[in-house]
Amino acid sequence: MNSKLNTRTEGKGADLVLLHGWGVNSGVWQPIAEQLEQLFKVTYIDLPGFGQNNDVLPKTYNMESVAACVAKVIPPQSIVVGWSLGGLIAQHIAVCESDKIKQLVLVATSPKFQKQNEWPGIDPVILQTFSAQLVNNLSKTIERFLAIQAMGSESAKTDIKKIKSSIELYPQANILALTAGLTLLEQIDLRTKLVEFAMPVHWMLGRLDSLVPIKLGEYIKQTLPDNHSVTVFPHASHAPFISHTEEFLADLLAKISV
């Protein structure tokens, strides 16, 4: 590890931590930042290799090292909101360092991203294609991934513009982190760990999401204990906090217990 992760904290109140997804950085939270900072002490964390931490990398970039790195800068007993890859990392932290998390909010994320047998998820070919394309054209690959994230949303073009303008305020991600991040999405499976979570867990899913299929919602309702709850945004895709900001905030604030 080069050094400790850089973080940014704004606002006052209960600790709220935001973890972004693959290919972007903490700038992606800009559409909801002001509202949250009026109510919480918000800590923005760029994942290792992303944004302001694009030069901060574990020696071995795997789930254990990345989660440990992130957990070090999370205040104890925080409300942790994790989106996409950030949600996967948040789940791992909830397994290994549960004292850090008072409540877990999981946005458009899954315990297992890759499709397998009857499990709904991303086709393995898509992730493998992105891995191969990264080497040839980093910027275009990120743009394609952003397009997939917004796919299905009525405001897809606007959503992509919002994401791009927000993340361009920070340095571009390290290609080593991007490649390793895709490997995490391909390989990690935390399904058996979810029943162990003692804290309240709220899942926020988009019905039109092509990366995290809506069938996950049924799995949560049918398989997991009562401390897990689910909200499905009927017109949202992979980034409901961007496409449906007001609905997202209303649901988030209704579910968070300070």
Side-chain angles (χ1 to χ4, degrees):
M1 180 75 65
N2 293 339
S3 61
K4 184 179 176 183
L5 287 178
N6 298 297
T7 65
R8 182 169 62 87
T9 303
E10 304 287 348
K12 295 180 180 179
D15 281 300
L16 179 74
V17 174
L18 299 175
L19 301 178
H20 65 81
W22 185 88
V24 296
N25 53 56
S26 60
V28 81
W29 300 109
Q30 190 271 334
I32 60 173
E34 185 178 347
Q35 295 93 322
L36 292 178
E37 289 166 14
Q38 291 173 5
L39 301 167
F40 302 96
K41 181 182 176 184
V42 184
T43 298
Y44 300 90
I45 301 175
D46 284 321
L47 299 178
F50 293 86
Q52 291 183 316
N53 294 314
N54 70 335
D55 61 345
V56 183
L57 295 165
K59 288 182 180 178
T60 303
Y61 202 108
N62 57 27
M63 180 55 83
E64 290 72 21
S65 62
V66 170
C69 182
V70 173
K72 283 180 183 176
V73 291
I74 293 179
Q77 291 296 292
S78 290
I79 301 161
V80 176
V81 180
W83 171 53
S84 199
L85 174 61
L88 188 64
I89 292 166
Q91 291 170 64
H92 194 275
I93 293 171
V95 173
C96 299
E97 299 192 51
S98 59
D99 61 309
K100 290 283 187 174
I101 303 179
K102 174 185 176 182
Q103 188 170 356
L104 190 57
V105 180
L106 298 169
V107 183
T109 190
S110 174
K112 175 178 169 56
F113 272 81
Q114 184 159 281
K115 182 179 181 181
Q116 185 179 32
N117 300 326
E118 298 301 312
W119 180 255
I122 308 173
D123 191 310
V125 175
I126 293 176
L127 291 172
Q128 290 160 12
T129 301
F130 275 113
S131 293
Q133 290 174 342
L134 272 176
V135 180
N136 298 322
N137 194 323
L138 177 59
S139 297
K140 186 169 281 189
T141 305
I142 299 295
E143 283 191 24
R144 285 173 182 159
F145 195 74
L146 295 182
I148 289 177
Q149 292 184 31
M151 193 183 297
S153 169
E154 293 176 357
S155 55
K157 288 184 178 179
T158 306
D159 297 350
I160 295 169
K161 285 181 181 178
K162 282 183 182 178
I163 295 173
K164 285 185 69 177
S165 64
S166 297
I167 66 174
E168 283 172 356
L169 299 173
Y170 296 87
Q172 192 172 54
N174 189 307
I175 192 164
L176 293 175
L178 289 166
T179 304
L182 285 176
T183 301
L184 296 182
L185 295 177
E186 286 179 12
Q187 296 180 353
I188 299 300
D189 184 354
L190 296 175
R191 286 176 292 178
T192 60
K193 301 294 185 181
L194 297 181
V195 294
E196 301 174 11
F197 292 176
M199 73 286 289
V201 184
H202 183 55
W203 300 76
M204 305 170 83
L205 306 174
R207 186 178 65 83
L208 306 176
D209 193 341
S210 60
L211 297 174
V212 180
I214 198 58
K215 286 183 179 179
L216 174 63
E218 293 304 313
Y219 172 83
I220 294 164
K221 292 174 185 175
Q222 295 171 8
T223 311
L224 300 181
D226 291 341
N227 60 315
H228 290 258
S229 59
V230 184
T231 293
V232 175
F233 297 95
H235 304 294
S237 183
H238 193 63
F241 57 94
I242 288 174
S243 62
H244 297 78
T245 303
E246 290 184 11
E247 292 173 46
F248 179 89
L249 282 169
D251 184 68
L252 178 66
L253 297 177
K255 294 300 189 299
I256 287 177
S257 52
V258 179

